[in-house]
């Protein structure tokens, strides 16, 4: 980025003028252009004044982590009930982008997307004994006929019953990698940390069906590698640690932990080798790495992903079979793989943000660019129209940014106040039409939020900078 910005500083001396545009208001474009996205029309309850939100030091309140405080403060989420939040437009945009990244990675390894009902019949859960095993965390209800259901926290029973209902499966059709991104429910005894631990949340859950243990282990490694790539694309340095199988079961399990002080999990890792494990899997008296006898370092983390090798635990109960190469029925070998979608959003904000300002993974920022025109009545007001022209020019010259640019049309506020707000929201690029927009050629003040750099660029320089932005 530094090399790129150096080139843009040179470009700042180049002459490039916009011409031929029809005068237009902020929310309407010149004829033939699309409608501009303006901040004043975004539904977003904003609480940007610091005295309206509890600080982290005020332990009498419920705002116990940075991501929760910031997301409430800028209006990304709004409390609905204990452990449940309204996801507001910025958050929905970020989540949709995350789902697109997930789709790319899951479908890249052969995943097929499905969508299963949230309501799951009790008889499925009783068949695996998890109706009782899950205890009070399972949200249960009865319909008007007295039939019992739960709101699914996960879907091993449902997906295995679905596959078992297909009576003529052949080994030639396997593996199946079936996944969904849906709301999940868990009756948490103490919801906290905002989207990090709630009663209702979004999760990506994948279920795989293979023809042999060897093939199932290959699929397990394939999915774990896809998780590594996905998290790396988001700039999140996670650690894959061995973990307990818990109520889901199986013979092998790994968690993908994002190291952070607010994390509720504790895990250890060895600097001398690749060993890492959740403390729950180790003897508390164990101080050295079981692989190399080196010292273990303990830290806290947020679990953003979890993988399980299930074997035939569920396929044997529901008789999920296929016809093998010898023409005989065999049980499918299974795995299941979860990613906390809303948790990843909150965890990313937790680790990337400052105490006062949100910072997003580049691919997930709700809007990539925020344009700030001059204040109404200021000496620079003549550059207001130029800002609108710049908006239109970006959408034409950089087509991947269509729908990614937001115009802060609150011109009754100073540029400084709007810049402060933009900094809190964490747009990767903030472009200001200030005093130098009146020069010939016009120069725009460009704030690169994720690097902290500020440069003055001509329209040509702005186009070249933004053409490098990656979106999903």
């Amino acid at each position: 980025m530094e090399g790129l910005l150096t080139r843009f500083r040179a470009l700042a001396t180049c002459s490039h003028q916009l011409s031929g545009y029809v005068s237009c208001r902020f929310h309407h474009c010149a004829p033939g252009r699309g409608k501009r996205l303006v901040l004043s029309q975004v539904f977003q309850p904003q609480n940007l004044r610091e005295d309206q939100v509890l600080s982290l030091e005020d332990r009498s309140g419920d705002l116990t982590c940075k991501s929760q405080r910031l997301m409430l403060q800028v209006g990304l989420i709004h409390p609905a009930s204990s452990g449940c939040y309204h996801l507001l437009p910025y958050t929905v945009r970020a989540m949709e982008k995350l789902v697109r990244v997930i789709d790319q990675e899951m479908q890249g390894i052969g995943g097929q997307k499905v969508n299963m009902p949230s309501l799951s019949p009790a008889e499925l859960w009783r068949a695996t004994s998890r109706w009782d095993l899950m205890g009070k965390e399972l949200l249960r209800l009865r319909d008007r006929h007295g039939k019992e259901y739960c709101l699914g926290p996960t879907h091993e029973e449902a997906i295995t019953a679905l596959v078992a209902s297909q009576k003529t499966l052949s080994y030639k059709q396997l593996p199946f990698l079936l996944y969904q991104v849906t709301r999940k429910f868990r009756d948490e005894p103490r919801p906290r940390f905002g989207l990090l631990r709630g009663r209702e949340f979004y999760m990506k859950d994948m279920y795989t069906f293979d023809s042999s243990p060897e093939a199932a282990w290959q699929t397990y490694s394939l999915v774990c590698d896809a998780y590594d790539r996905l998290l790396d694309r988001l700039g999140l340095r996670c650690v894959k640690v061995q973990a307990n199988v818990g109520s889901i079961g199986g013979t092998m399990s790994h968690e993908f932990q994002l190291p952070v002080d607010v994390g509720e999990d504790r895990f250890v890792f060895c600097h001398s080798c690749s060993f890492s494990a959740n403390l729950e899997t180790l003897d508390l008296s164990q101080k050295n790495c079981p692989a190399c006898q080196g010292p273990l370092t303990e830290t806290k983390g947020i679990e953003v992903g979890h993988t399980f090798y299930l074997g035939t635990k569920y396929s044997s109960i529901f008789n999920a079979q296929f016809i093998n190469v010898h023409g005989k029925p065999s049980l499918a070998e299974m795995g299941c793989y979860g990613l906390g979608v809303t948790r990843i959003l909150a965890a990313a904000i937790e680790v990337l943000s400052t105490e006062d300002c949100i910072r997003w993974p580049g691919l997930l920022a709700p809007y990539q660019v925020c344009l700030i025109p001059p204040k109404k009545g200021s000496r620079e007001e003549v550059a207001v129209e130029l800002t609108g022209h710049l908006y239109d020019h970006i959408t034409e010259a950089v087509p991947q940014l269509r729908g990614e640019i937001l115009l802060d049309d609150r011109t009754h506020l100073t540029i400084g106040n709007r810049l402060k707000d933009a900094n809190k929201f964490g747009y990767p690029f903030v472009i200001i039409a200030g005093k130098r927009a009146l020069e010939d050629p016009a120069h725009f003040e460009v704030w690169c939020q994720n690097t902290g750099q500020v440069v003055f660029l001509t329209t040509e320089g702005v186009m070249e900078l933004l053409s490098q932005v990656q979106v999903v």
Side-chain angles (χ1 to χ4, degrees):
M1 177 62 78
E2 176 59 38
L4 199 58
L5 288 172
T6 300
R7 292 176 57 206
F8 296 143
R9 293 188 184 99
L11 280 167
T13 62
C14 297
S15 174
H16 185 84
Q17 288 289 337
L18 289 167
S19 60
Y21 287 90
V22 177
S23 178
C24 54
R25 296 177 61 188
F26 279 130
H27 60 289
H28 294 295
C29 295
R33 305 184 192 279
K35 186 176 181 180
R36 295 178 187 144
L37 300 173
V38 294
L39 183 57
S40 65
Q41 295 178 356
V42 175
F43 176 72
Q44 204 74 359
Q46 295 177 25
N47 303 297
L48 295 177
R49 287 180 54 196
E50 294 179 0
D51 60 358
Q52 292 179 322
V53 184
L54 292 174
S55 67
L56 283 177
E57 287 71 30
D58 189 349
R59 299 300 177 181
S60 63
D62 295 325
L63 305 186
T64 50
C65 70
K66 178 171 58 179
S67 59
Q68 181 185 18
R69 174 172 57 81
L70 288 173
M71 294 182 82
L72 286 168
Q73 188 175 26
V74 305
L76 299 182
I77 58 176
H78 189 77
S81 62
S82 177
C84 298
Y85 290 87
H86 299 287
L87 305 183
L88 300 179
Y90 277 65
T91 305
V92 171
R93 284 181 63 91
M95 188 172 73
E96 288 173 344
K97 292 181 178 184
L98 176 54
V99 171
R100 287 199 286 273
V101 176
I102 290 172
D103 286 340
Q104 290 171 0
E105 295 297 339
M106 295 301 99
Q107 294 173 22
I109 59 173
Q112 301 180 66
K113 200 168 188 178
V114 298
N115 198 312
M116 292 177 277
S118 294
L119 277 178
S120 188
E123 57 263 26
L124 292 180
W125 291 74
R126 289 198 171 100
T128 60
S129 301
R130 292 211 296 171
W131 186 260
D132 297 321
L133 183 63
M134 290 289 290
K136 293 182 178 180
E137 288 192 1
L138 199 63
L139 277 165
R140 307 157 200 258
L141 64 156
R142 292 178 184 267
D143 67 11
R144 66 180 65 193
H145 306 294
K147 185 175 176 63
E148 291 183 293
Y149 295 87
C150 69
L151 291 173
T154 183
H155 279 75
E156 285 79 13
E157 286 83 358
I159 194 68
T160 312
L162 173 62
V163 172
S165 69
Q166 313 303 305
K167 300 296 185 182
T168 59
L169 292 179
S170 165
Y171 73 94
K172 295 179 181 180
Q173 296 173 264
L174 301 182
F176 284 143
L177 289 76
L178 306 176
Y179 79 99
Q180 61 178 353
V181 179
T182 57
R183 290 179 184 266
K184 297 293 190 291
F185 304 86
R186 183 177 294 122
D187 195 357
E188 289 283 353
R190 188 181 170 221
R192 55 179 179 163
F193 300 142
L195 298 187
L196 291 177
R197 181 166 294 281
R199 304 177 76 195
E200 183 176 351
F201 50 94
Y202 278 89
M203 187 171 80
K204 187 285 301 180
D205 44 324
M206 172 178 272
Y207 307 91
T208 61
F209 298 81
D210 277 278
S211 59
S212 69
E214 295 78 16
W217 280 116
Q218 290 177 1
T219 298
Y220 189 92
S221 296
L222 194 68
V223 179
C224 287
D225 289 345
Y227 277 21
D228 285 333
R229 287 193 300 273
L230 186 152
L231 295 166
D232 184 63
R233 289 177 66 185
L234 301 181
L236 302 178
R237 297 185 177 183
C238 292
V239 181
K240 178 184 171 186
V241 308
Q242 71 179 36
N244 280 330
V245 297
S247 62
I248 288 180
T251 58
M252 176 69 75
S253 173
H254 289 91
E255 295 167 345
F256 289 76
Q257 293 280 354
L258 183 61
V260 61
D261 288 340
V262 76
E264 296 186 280
D265 291 317
R266 305 183 77 89
F267 67 94
V268 295
F269 62 93
C270 177
H271 289 282
S272 301
C273 66
S274 60
F275 177 82
S276 56
N278 191 304
L279 276 180
E280 296 175 348
T281 67
L282 300 177
D283 187 328
L284 293 179
S285 63
Q286 189 169 345
K287 301 300 181 183
N288 294 326
C289 174
C292 70
Q293 300 306 308
L296 292 172
T297 300
E298 182 179 329
T299 190
K300 294 180 180 180
I302 297 171
E303 176 196 322
V304 296
H306 208 151
T307 60
F308 299 83
Y309 181 85
L310 300 176
T312 60
K313 171 180 169 61
Y314 292 90
S315 58
S316 61
I317 294 172
F318 294 101
N319 203 28
Q321 295 183 333
F322 66 96
I323 302 303
N324 64 24
V325 67
H326 304 293
K328 303 293 184 182
S330 294
L331 292 172
E333 295 279 336
M334 291 179 58
C336 67
Y337 311 84
L339 279 175
V341 177
T342 40
R343 181 176 287 188
I344 287 174
L345 285 181
I349 289 173
E350 188 71 37
V351 300
L352 299 178
S353 301
T354 69
E355 287 299 317
D356 302 312
C357 302
I358 287 177
R359 291 295 177 265
W360 302 89
L363 289 176
L364 304 188
Y367 295 94
Q368 291 290 334
V369 181
C370 177
L371 295 181
I372 301 179
K375 181 183 179 182
K376 184 178 180 180
S378 67
R379 286 185 296 176
E380 296 82 25
E381 186 178 8
V382 293
V384 166
E385 185 175 334
L386 185 61
T387 312
H389 293 168
L390 180 64
Y391 185 112
D392 297 337
H393 195 58
I394 293 172
T395 58
E396 288 188 353
V398 192
Q400 73 265 29
L401 292 183
R402 290 173 185 165
E404 292 288 338
I405 309 167
L406 193 65
L407 188 62
D408 191 341
D409 60 331
R410 302 172 301 163
T411 54
H412 61 284
L413 298 176
T414 65
I415 286 178
N417 283 335
R418 283 176 286 161
L419 177 60
K420 183 178 180 181
D421 288 357
N423 195 34
K424 282 182 175 289
F425 278 108
Y427 309 103
F429 298 94
V430 179
I431 303 176
I432 301 170
K435 294 179 180 179
R436 294 195 61 186
L438 303 180
E439 296 178 357
D440 186 11
H443 283 70
F444 298 92
E445 185 177 348
V446 182
W447 289 64
C448 304
Q449 300 277 46
N450 291 336
T451 64
Q453 294 176 295
V454 182
V455 293
F456 286 89
L457 301 177
T458 63
T459 301
E460 183 182 50
V462 170
M463 297 305 120
E464 187 168 350
L465 174 63
L466 296 183
S467 69
Q468 309 299 316
V469 176
Q470 295 184 355
V471 298
V472 290

